[in-house]
Amino acid sequence: MSEFVFSPKPIRIESGDGTTLTADSGTEYLDMGASYACTPLGHAHPAVVEAVSDQAATLTYVQGSYPVDVREDLYELVTEVTPEPLDHAWLSNSGTEANEAAIKFARHATGRSKVLAMKNAFHGRTLGSLAATWKPKYRDGFEPLAGGFDFVTYEDESELRAAVDEETAAVIIEPIQGEGGINPADPGFLEAAREATEEAGAALIFDEIQTGVGRTGQMWAAEKAGVTPDILTAAKGIANGLPMGMTAVREWIAEDAGNHGSTFSGGPTIAAAGTATLETVRDEELPAHAGELGDRFQTALREELGDAVREVRGEGLMVGVEVKRGANRVVRDLALDHQILALPAGRTVVRFLPPLVVSAAEIDRTVEAMGDVIDAQ
């Protein structure tokens, strides 16, 4: 995997604190990407540092067949913070592994193999998740991938309904496509997917790897849309930068999910980080904070950039700016000229996924910097 390069050399990060990353040169950068939404609490958050330090000093790891309080506490917390009736969960090590589990669970519970995914979707890089990922640039050179996957147009309700049939095991959807360009689905499309899968006896999977843990203004984008899937996956921000994935399911999936496992699933140290993260996000009401600042961010970007960009879109603190010229150049100029780290989402969208603890002043700084960069092009 190539380095994140800004000419003439990469930015080499040495430390982080809150919304700030510091390079080996001593330069401080405002982290408005949170490493693809992985650090909702910012860097070196005290609650996570303390939880991990204490747990590592007591029990770093033990196999999952032995009951461990910290793992069981996290399982209980996960079922508390996920939408009802997603009352069962399985922990893993990454988003792609969470999605692999979702696909396996759906196939076993339904006894079917066909999986429908969306065009422009991104679900991961392992062979099953990659089979549900649309863009050829991720798939090229790795075929043959897992079989049984078909694609329909995102937000095309009639095409989706026509494709879901008695052979369909699952439909997998990102409520907001992240890598695909920050494309929020209309709630009506998600409702249509819910209806179609229920009628066909198929599972509806929401991939909330990037949208979950408060980013869109509620704990889960599913709640914001008012649609509850059969399976919900999460990762990235769930343990504030430590490797964890989660697959939450309804009872009918759990009772016939089949034989699945992972050596490091729910390891004690990572479980401690997950518990500290989810408790802090919930107790400090960070989803509401994300919703408020997200509205401020999008409104200010539209006012500042006007017709100089094609569109500003997103939900909460998951914001995309579709520019008229290359997104990579805008991301580079933000970093080099304004010490602000953002992300591209395809060739034309600049993506902002800041820590949920970002301040209004930091939002305003980013808006001003975007105005300067776009004006200079």
Side-chain angles (χ1 to χ4, degrees):
M1 192 175 197
S2 62
E3 293 180 296
F4 192 33
V5 176
F6 296 110
S7 179
K9 66 177 183 177
I11 295 172
R12 187 175 298 276
I13 300 299
E14 282 197 342
S15 64
D17 182 19
T19 58
T20 300
L21 288 170
T22 303
D24 59 354
S25 63
T27 303
E28 293 185 347
Y29 294 88
L30 174 59
D31 185 6
M32 291 296 288
S35 295
Y36 296 93
C38 286
T39 54
L41 303 182
H43 303 281
H45 190 280
V48 178
V49 171
E50 180 180 5
V52 170
S53 299
D54 289 350
Q55 185 59 50
T58 304
L59 178 66
T60 302
Y61 174 76
V62 67
Q63 68 192 68
S65 55
Y66 295 113
V68 177
D69 285 346
V70 66
R71 181 189 296 120
E72 294 178 354
D73 289 346
L74 178 57
Y75 271 118
E76 183 176 348
L77 177 59
V78 163
T79 58
E80 288 177 6
V81 301
T82 49
E84 293 186 356
L86 300 173
D87 293 331
H88 303 269
W90 182 76
L91 299 174
S92 56
N93 309 292
S94 66
T96 193
E97 190 176 346
N99 284 335
E100 292 276 351
I103 293 164
K104 289 177 70 176
F105 295 163
R107 282 181 164 174
H108 201 279
T110 62
R112 307 168 182 175
S113 61
K114 177 180 171 182
V115 177
L116 291 174
M118 303 296 114
K119 294 177 182 179
N120 289 319
F122 181 87
H123 295 292
R125 296 177 186 268
T126 49
L127 290 180
S129 299
L130 190 57
T133 293
W134 170 251
K135 288 185 179 179
K137 76 171 187 177
Y138 298 115
R139 302 159 62 94
D140 286 350
F142 301 112
E143 288 89 354
L145 304 176
F149 290 79
D150 291 321
F151 293 91
V152 297
T153 304
Y154 193 62
E155 288 212 286
D156 190 322
E157 181 179 331
S158 60
E159 186 178 339
L160 174 66
R161 288 185 182 274
V164 178
D165 56 26
E166 67 278 359
E167 297 179 357
T168 304
V171 174
I172 183 168
I173 302 175
E174 298 162 275
I176 302 175
Q177 289 186 332
E179 192 71 15
I182 311 296
N183 301 311
D186 186 275
F189 176 69
L190 301 179
E191 290 168 4
R194 176 69 285 174
E195 292 170 3
T197 50
E198 285 182 344
E199 291 168 3
L204 178 61
I205 304 170
F206 278 179
D207 175 344
E208 295 230 30
I209 306 301
Q210 197 165 129
T211 57
V213 196
R215 180 148 301 277
T216 64
Q218 294 193 35
M219 184 65 83
W220 309 101
E223 296 173 301
K224 196 172 184 72
V227 179
T228 304
D230 300 290
I231 304 174
L232 183 149
T233 62
K236 293 193 182 295
I238 200 169
N240 208 54
L242 276 75
M244 176 180 285
M246 179 274 292
T247 307
V249 304
R250 292 179 185 250
E251 176 67 32
W252 75 274
I253 298 289
E255 67 186 7
D256 194 15
N259 183 20
H260 186 65
S262 173
T263 298
F264 289 103
S265 170
T269 306
I270 308 301
T275 297
T277 301
L278 291 175
E279 286 182 341
T280 303
V281 169
R282 179 194 62 190
D283 296 347
E284 295 188 3
E285 299 181 346
L286 292 181
H289 179 72
E292 293 170 6
L293 284 194
D295 289 344
R296 178 191 183 111
F297 196 13
Q298 288 196 56
T299 298
L301 283 169
R302 291 188 185 104
E303 292 175 352
E304 177 71 24
L305 304 177
D307 294 336
V309 299
R310 291 192 176 97
E311 187 178 13
V312 176
R313 57 181 180 260
E315 293 283 351
L317 289 175
M318 185 174 184
V319 176
V321 179
E322 186 171 355
V323 298
K324 295 180 179 179
R325 298 184 183 179
N328 284 327
R329 180 179 175 182
V330 174
V331 170
R332 181 200 66 190
D333 291 350
L334 282 172
L336 293 180
D337 298 338
H338 298 275
Q339 292 73 56
I340 294 175
L341 302 181
L343 301 160
R347 288 192 275 182
T348 61
V349 177
V350 179
R351 176 171 28 171
F352 295 101
L353 305 167
L356 305 188
V357 295
V358 69
S359 69
E362 290 166 332
I363 291 291
D364 294 345
R365 173 185 164 189
T366 303
V367 171
E368 183 178 355
M370 272 294 288
D372 289 345
V373 170
I374 297 300
D375 285 345
Q377 287 193 329

